[in-house]
Amino acid sequence: MENLVVKTAGVVMITMNSMRGLEALNLTADQRKKITDLRRELRKNTWDLRRQEIDQREELETLYSAPSLDVAAIKSTYEKLFQVKLKMIEYTLNFKVSLGKILTKEQMDQFHQMMYNPMGRFHGGMMDDSGDSGDSE
């Protein structure tokens, strides 16, 4: 199964291919429509934020490559970047809360098993088919 999670801007986002993973939850037609609408809303709300994140990162590259460091400008750019990330986190959390209202408890439990490793910690890395990220503990 393809990974359901990708980290973007430090934010965990459901990937575009995750509907196949969600299909493993035996969604009803109504659930599928609600989740599709929810994902569309998340994408609409975060599209411009993703562009802003890229812009801020490019600005940081420019500032760091300058002959002399402008500490105030770097700090200001990081503050803007962190505000963008915080807004993306907010939208993602709202998405997850709304998703929890659409799925049954059993479906949500199964979804969490797909998203989290057996130790109950968030797994933001890539997993192989065994569910092992290759990280050693």
Side-chain angles (χ1 to χ4, degrees), residues 115-128:
M115 289 186 61
Y116 293 82
N117 73 20
M119 299 302 290
R121 296 183 324 201
F122 175 73
H123 195 288
M126 301 296 283
M127 289 187 194
D128 63 22

Side-chain angles (χ1 to χ4, degrees), residues 22-44:
L22 287 169
E23 287 299 327
L25 302 177
N26 296 317
L27 300 172
T28 66
D30 185 53
Q31 285 176 313
R32 198 171 13 264
K33 181 189 179 322
K34 287 179 180 178
I35 291 171
T36 298
D37 291 346
L38 190 62
R39 291 175 67 223
R40 186 173 293 127
E41 180 183 350
L42 177 65
R43 188 173 48 248
K44 182 187 81 161

Side-chain angles (χ1 to χ4, degrees), residues 3-134:
N3 289 336
L4 297 179
V5 178
V6 67
K7 285 183 92 170
T8 301
V11 178
V12 178
M13 303 289 287
I14 307 299
T15 66
M16 296 305 291
N17 293 326
S18 67
M19 281 306 284
R20 281 185 268 170
L22 287 169
E23 287 299 327
L25 302 177
N26 296 317
L27 300 172
T28 66
D30 185 53
Q31 285 176 313
R32 198 171 13 264
K33 181 189 179 322
K34 287 179 180 178
I35 291 171
T36 298
D37 291 346
L38 190 62
R39 291 175 67 223
R40 186 173 293 127
E41 180 183 350
L42 177 65
R43 188 173 48 248
K44 182 187 81 161
N45 289 335
T46 58
W47 200 260
D48 188 53
L49 293 171
R50 291 177 186 181
R51 183 196 53 77
Q52 289 177 42
E53 178 192 10
I54 292 168
D55 291 347
Q56 296 306 320
R57 290 187 182 280
E58 287 176 347
E59 178 65 19
L60 284 170
E61 288 177 22
T62 300
L63 290 167
Y64 275 113
S65 65
S68 61
L69 293 180
D70 183 343
V71 175
I74 291 171
K75 180 180 174 185
S76 174
T77 304
Y78 271 118
E79 287 171 351
K80 291 174 188 173
L81 177 61
F82 295 154
Q83 287 304 310
V84 168
K85 287 183 171 190
L86 185 60
K87 194 67 174 168
M88 289 177 71
I89 290 168
E90 180 183 334
Y91 282 124
T92 301
L93 290 172
N94 289 337
F95 173 88
K96 289 180 179 185
V97 167
S98 296
L99 183 64
K101 293 176 182 177
I102 296 169
L103 299 177
T104 66
K105 181 187 179 330
E106 293 78 17
Q107 289 170 323
M108 200 64 187
D109 290 345
Q110 188 177 356
F111 185 69
H112 275 266
Q113 287 176 359
M114 287 188 280
M115 289 186 61
Y116 293 82
N117 73 20
M119 299 302 290
R121 296 183 324 201
F122 175 73
H123 195 288
M126 301 296 283
M127 289 187 194
D128 63 22
D129 291 345
S130 71
D132 185 1
S133 67

